[in-house]
């Protein structure tokens, strides 16, 4: 460890007080104290760091802004955390190619804002979009409300710059939508959580910025009325750019303890429904939508301007942090079930009698099931509840994570519940790409 101060073009932290925050992210798990934290500024530092890791047998754990929710950037073994917040690079926009290149250190909010200056749109919008780094969203294949229409982060990546086992930076892909010279290795790295190598930057696909938005607050007199709506909308040809919801228990929390605007939220349950198709604010579009909604449309509120739209979304965006502040030891899961089986899921959840509140992305079946009292029950009992929750999602054709990833928090469940063939393939890839086991050890597999 004494050799770390000689790393070229990097800042090295070794003081225990400075290292302490790197033991955790926004999840409920906590890692061990790292041996050191390195903030590289260029490839020379990484090349030497890889050499040292191989020679001395320690792991390298990647970290962006630390906003992840699966413990993916927390050290679990003898490791050095590689903090990419100081990584050099600039955002390069090419409107002609409908793409933008950015370093892993770029804040996602700046990526989106830079695209918008040219009338272009980078859709991925995880709840932490104002504070997270691009690299973390690439490593975890982040989602967000817009995934309902636009898909996950991986759908918007053209190429990736990655550090591999040889200590060199390699580029996979090109800045064009058509590239078919062999398997897309960039896609192997997206969502891999740094276990194959570290993403240092990417070229992102853009699309024209939506011209208009129709943002609706949709109260439900009966909670169950919302559960069939995603499938009905899509079946009728309406694809929302977002379809978010609050179950009765979350609404009760917000009304009792939330900010003033949250205390006025209507309905037994509530949805935020947004469209961004051209013409979505026209009378013809809205009248057709009202006909489909039927009696549910009676209490519908349509945002009349950008300020009202921002106010509606502000309540949704603060829900996670509000619940975390109220229940610091809560566990938030992000299971997925197909839209057509949402009602079956909630029937099953009630049968399991797991004390929880649920909100999130109803339009794509990505549900944030929050166990608010997780810190007050026996860890073994909590683990049993989580495994029951995951098994329920899997039994309905879903999965145990829609956007947070596996990391450390869900590793045991993933290894227990995943197809053994899938685990075998992933481990074979790990051995091939990271034969010394230095990249983010102890995560995912």
């Amino acid at each position: 460890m004494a050799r770390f101060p000689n790393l070229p073009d990097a800042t090295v932290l070794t003081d225990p007080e400075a290292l302490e925050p790197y033991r955790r992210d926004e999840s409920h798990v906590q890692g061990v104290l790292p041996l050191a934290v390195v903030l590289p500024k260029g490839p020379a530092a990484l090349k030497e760091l890889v050499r040292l890791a191989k020679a001395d047998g320690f792991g390298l754990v990647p970290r962006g802004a630390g906003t992840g929710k699966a413990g993916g950037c927390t050290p679990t073994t003898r490791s050095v955390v590689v903090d990419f917040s100081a990584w050099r690079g600039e955002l390069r926009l090419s409107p002609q190619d409908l793409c933008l290149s950015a370093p892993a250190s770029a804040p996602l909010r700046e990526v989106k804002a830079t695209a918008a200056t040219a009338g272009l749109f980078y859709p991925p919008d995880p709840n932490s979009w104002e504070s997270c780094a691009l690299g973390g969203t690439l490593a975890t294949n982040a989602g967000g409300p817009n995934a309902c229409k636009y898909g996950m982060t991986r759908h918007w990546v053209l190429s990736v710059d990655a550090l591999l086992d040889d200590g060199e930076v390699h580029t996979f892909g090109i800045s064009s939508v058509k590239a078919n010279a062999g398997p897309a290795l960039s896609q192997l790295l997206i969502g891999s959580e740094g276990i194959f190598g570290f993403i240092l930057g990417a070229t992102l696909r853009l699309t024209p910025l939506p011209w208009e938005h129709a943002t609706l607050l949709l109260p439900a007199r009966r909670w169950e009325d919302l559960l069939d709506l995603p499938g009905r909308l899509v079946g009728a040809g309406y694809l929302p750019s977002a379809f978010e919801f609050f179950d009765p228990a979350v609404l009760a929390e917000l009304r009792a303890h939330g900010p003033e605007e949250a205390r006025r939220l209507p309905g037994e349950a509530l949805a935020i429904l947004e469209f961004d198709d051209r013409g979505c604010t026209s009378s013809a579009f809205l009248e057709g939508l009202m006909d489909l909604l039927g009696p549910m449309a009676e209490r519908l509120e349509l945002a009349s301007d950008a300020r009202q739209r921002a106010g509606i979304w502000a309540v949704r965006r603060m829900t996670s942090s509000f619940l975390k502040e109220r229940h610091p030891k809560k566990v938030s899961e992000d299971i997925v079930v197909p839209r057509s089986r949402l009602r079956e899921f909630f029937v099953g959840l009630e049968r399991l009698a797991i004390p929880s509140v649920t909100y999130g992305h109803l339009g794509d079946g990505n549900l944030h099931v929050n166990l608010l009292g997780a810190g007050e029950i026996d860890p073994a009992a909590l683990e049993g509840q989580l495994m029951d929750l995951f098994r329920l999602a899997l039994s309905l054709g879903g999965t145990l994570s829609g956007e947070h990833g596996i990391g450390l928090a869900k590793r045991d469940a993933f290894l227990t519940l995943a197809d053994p063939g899938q685990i075998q393939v992933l481990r074979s890839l790990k051995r091939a790409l990271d034969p010394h086991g230095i990249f983010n050890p102890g995560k995912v597999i």
Side-chain angles (χ1 to χ4, degrees):
M1 294 302 108
R3 299 166 67 184
F4 272 101
N6 296 324
L7 276 176
D9 209 16
T11 300
V12 180
L13 308 178
T14 56
D15 180 75
E17 188 173 343
L19 302 181
E20 180 63 31
Y22 289 88
R23 296 177 63 185
R24 62 188 68 84
D25 58 5
E26 290 297 317
S27 70
H28 62 283
V29 301
Q30 180 169 287
V32 301
L33 198 70
L35 300 173
V37 171
V38 173
L39 290 84
K41 301 173 185 176
L46 292 178
K47 188 176 182 67
E48 179 63 8
L49 195 52
V50 167
R51 187 190 70 78
L52 286 172
K54 291 179 182 178
D56 293 350
F58 58 82
L60 300 176
V61 178
R63 187 180 180 96
T67 59
K69 293 194 172 184
C73 64
T74 60
T76 60
T77 60
R78 185 172 174 267
S79 300
V80 168
V81 171
V82 186
D83 181 344
F84 284 101
S85 60
W87 184 257
R88 295 193 186 102
E90 61 179 357
L91 277 66
R92 300 187 305 277
L93 179 66
S94 177
Q96 297 91 341
D97 294 317
L98 283 178
C99 71
L100 181 153
S101 297
S105 57
L108 181 59
R109 67 177 182 277
E110 292 186 12
V111 170
K112 295 174 76 68
T114 300
T117 62
L120 299 173
F121 183 37
Y122 179 63
D125 63 335
N127 197 56
S128 59
W129 72 272
E130 292 185 297
S131 57
C132 67
L134 174 65
T137 69
L138 299 169
T140 60
N141 186 31
N146 278 333
C148 178
K149 177 177 181 178
Y150 292 101
M152 306 285 283
T153 292
R154 71 166 64 257
H155 295 94
W156 297 90
V157 178
L158 295 171
S159 72
V160 165
D161 302 323
L163 172 74
L164 296 184
D165 173 75
D166 60 359
E168 302 292 342
V169 179
H170 301 269
T171 298
F172 301 103
I174 64 172
S175 57
S176 176
V177 294
K178 282 189 174 180
N180 200 28
L185 294 177
S186 60
Q187 291 298 312
L188 178 64
L189 295 166
I190 301 300
S192 69
E193 303 186 49
I195 65 172
F196 301 139
F198 293 169
I199 296 174
L200 308 181
T203 298
L204 310 171
R205 183 168 67 90
L206 306 177
T207 193
L209 200 66
W211 283 40
E212 54 192 306
H213 294 90
T215 307
L216 302 91
L217 200 61
L218 183 63
R221 284 195 171 90
R222 295 189 322 122
W223 153 231
E224 295 81 5
D225 291 343
L226 286 180
L227 301 183
D228 297 325
L229 189 53
R232 288 176 54 217
L233 282 170
V234 173
Y238 291 90
L239 181 57
S241 55
F243 188 165
E244 303 292 290
F245 84 109
F246 308 87
D247 80 354
V250 172
L251 272 186
E253 284 272 326
L254 287 166
R255 286 178 181 138
H257 307 287
E260 184 60 33
E261 58 270 27
R263 297 184 184 217
R264 298 193 298 267
L265 292 173
E268 181 195 44
L270 186 64
I272 298 172
L273 196 55
E274 184 163 274
F275 298 88
D276 64 3
D277 310 276
R278 186 172 296 198
C280 65
T281 58
S282 68
S283 297
F285 183 95
L286 293 173
E287 286 171 6
L289 180 62
M290 300 304 141
D291 288 344
L292 177 65
L293 294 174
M296 293 185 69
E298 294 175 3
R299 303 173 67 194
L300 181 149
E301 299 177 22
L302 175 65
S304 59
D305 54 31
R307 182 186 61 81
Q308 286 191 357
R309 178 183 179 234
I312 289 174
W313 277 109
V315 175
R316 168 60 184 91
R317 294 289 188 185
M318 57 76 65
T319 301
S320 178
S321 57
F322 161 75
L323 290 175
K324 183 73 171 178
E325 185 175 324
R326 284 264 304 147
H327 307 275
K329 296 182 178 180
K330 79 177 180 73
V331 171
S332 175
E333 292 301 343
D334 68 318
I335 58 91
V336 177
V337 295
R339 277 188 289 253
S340 59
R341 309 196 73 174
L342 286 166
R343 186 180 289 271
E344 291 176 75
F345 171 79
F346 282 102
V347 169
L349 186 61
E350 185 175 2
R351 185 173 61 248
L352 290 174
I354 298 174
S356 60
V357 305
T358 309
Y359 68 95
H361 318 299
L362 198 67
D364 52 37
N366 182 197
L367 312 173
H368 294 308
V369 182
N370 282 245
L371 283 66
L372 302 183
E376 282 73 54
I377 67 173
D378 178 73
L382 173 62
E383 186 65 24
Q385 290 179 347
L386 293 175
M387 290 297 285
D388 286 344
L389 175 65
F390 298 150
R391 286 192 176 96
L392 173 60
L394 289 166
S395 73
L396 296 172
T399 186
L400 71 169
S401 179
E403 56 186 2
H404 293 168
I406 300 300
L408 177 61
K410 297 183 184 179
R411 181 175 185 266
D412 289 345
F414 180 61
L415 294 177
T416 299
L417 300 174
D419 181 339
Q422 179 184 5
I423 301 299
Q424 181 180 352
V425 169
L426 288 174
R427 286 178 169 166
S428 295
L429 290 168
K430 173 73 169 174
R431 288 191 296 269
L433 294 171
D434 182 22
H436 297 88
I438 64 172
F439 291 119
N440 212 4
K443 308 298 166 46
V444 186
I445 54 173

